[in-house]
Amino acid sequence: MRKEFAIQLYSVRDHMEKDYVGTLEKIAGMGYTAVEFAGFGGLSAAEMKGHLDRLGLTAYATHTGFDLLSDDEKLKEQIEYHQVIGAKYMLCPWYELKTMEDVHKVAEVLNHVGEVAGKAGILTGYHNHGHEFQKVDDGAYLLDKLMEETNPETVKMELDVFWAEHAGCACIPFMKKYGSRCALVHLKQIDADKNSVDLPDGVIDMPAVVETARSFGTDKFIVEQEAYPVDSLISAAVNAGYLKAIL
């Protein structure tokens, strides 16, 4: 049976910038069965769907900037693109959450996107970095507050385990707290010096992360890496081999 796992294409952005389609071909050749987009390389939705089908790749999700999510006309265009390529999640990849006012602003937008995109069969969500693990007066994280203020049916979490651990938050207990609402997981490894490294080379127990996610029905595992010992495509291949072994 084919093992399903994805890569966030930001991981190989240096190669994508030079040869978008050629890099997709190399990713598929490594055994990745799905991708998460961070931009579309100027390709139309129909062109992108054609390449995905040809390469046997599924579109798990996209990282769609807050500026696009918060503009209704641009949001409509994004929804239409997602429908064509078959992506089921439209995720906010970044917002500099610092205050509860920021939380209210982002929650309002995500709830709106969730309502509008939900009618097209697309869920929305939020991908964390480290700053969302700042605590507010009651001891909760800003990320907790964002989840509290958003509709759990339409707004999900994409937990980046690297950034949780980087901020001092143990990723597995945090995943358990949200259960199936943690609908996608970024498998990004961290070493003892808090560097982003290949999956086999860090301190996060990735098999335990996978087991925990599977225990509440999550099966969207997405490799992301930000730094590389040699080359991003070499790391992507190492990570693919690792996931074939543990999934």
Side-chain angles (χ1 to χ4, degrees), residues 117-168:
K119 295 174 183 176
I122 299 165
L123 295 167
T124 191
Y126 187 85
H127 165 268
N128 66 280
H129 287 79
H131 59 280
E132 297 92 346
F133 291 96
Q134 174 186 328
K135 290 185 177 180
V136 293
D137 291 343
D138 63 358
Y141 296 123
L142 286 171
L143 185 55
D144 289 318
K145 293 299 185 183
L146 182 62
M147 292 297 103
E148 285 177 14
E149 293 195 11
T150 48
N151 183 345
E153 298 301 317
T154 57
V155 181
K156 305 299 181 180
M157 177 190 299
E158 179 177 60
L159 182 65
D160 187 308
V161 298
F162 169 96
W163 282 114
E165 295 281 344
H166 193 279

Side-chain angles (χ1 to χ4, degrees), residues 46-245:
E47 289 172 329
M48 186 69 78
K49 178 62 173 171
H51 289 304
L52 294 176
D53 289 348
R54 174 174 63 85
L55 298 171
L57 293 171
T58 300
Y60 271 3
T62 71
H63 277 191
T64 301
F66 189 79
D67 58 326
L68 301 176
L69 298 175
S70 56
D71 182 303
D72 279 348
E73 193 57 40
K74 292 177 181 177
L75 174 60
K76 179 182 176 183
E77 293 172 359
Q78 293 298 312
I79 291 172
E80 290 171 352
Y81 199 108
H82 282 63
Q83 287 179 301
V84 173
I85 66 172
K88 299 301 182 185
Y89 291 89
M90 184 187 308
L91 305 167
C92 179
W94 165 269
Y95 193 91
E96 195 167 356
L97 290 180
K98 289 183 175 180
T99 66
M100 283 304 299
E101 287 71 23
D102 295 330
V103 169
H104 301 328
K105 177 180 178 179
V106 175
E108 182 178 9
V109 169
L110 291 181
N111 282 328
H112 175 66
V113 173
E115 180 181 354
V116 174
K119 295 174 183 176
I122 299 165
L123 295 167
T124 191
Y126 187 85
H127 165 268
N128 66 280
H129 287 79
H131 59 280
E132 297 92 346
F133 291 96
Q134 174 186 328
K135 290 185 177 180
V136 293
D137 291 343
D138 63 358
Y141 296 123
L142 286 171
L143 185 55
D144 289 318
K145 293 299 185 183
L146 182 62
M147 292 297 103
E148 285 177 14
E149 293 195 11
T150 48
N151 183 345
E153 298 301 317
T154 57
V155 181
K156 305 299 181 180
M157 177 190 299
E158 179 177 60
L159 182 65
D160 187 308
V161 298
F162 169 96
W163 282 114
E165 295 281 344
H166 193 279
C169 174
C171 62
I172 289 178
F174 193 77
M175 289 170 65
K176 290 179 178 178
K177 178 178 181 178
Y178 285 97
S180 60
R181 193 172 184 192
C182 182
L184 310 96
V185 182
H186 264 194
L187 300 180
K188 184 191 298 181
Q189 186 59 277
I190 192 171
D191 69 8
D193 296 319
K194 294 191 172 183
N195 298 308
S196 176
V197 296
D198 294 352
L199 289 179
D201 298 334
V203 299
I204 298 174
D205 186 343
M206 288 298 173
V209 169
V210 169
E211 181 181 1
T212 300
R214 283 177 167 167
S215 73
F216 47 73
T218 293
D219 63 356
K220 299 292 187 293
F221 300 111
I222 304 163
V223 171
E224 187 179 43
Q225 191 164 340
E226 297 185 26
Y228 322 95
V230 182
D231 178 88
S232 63
L233 280 174
I234 294 175
S235 288
V238 169
N239 294 331
Y242 179 81
L243 289 182
K244 290 174 190 176

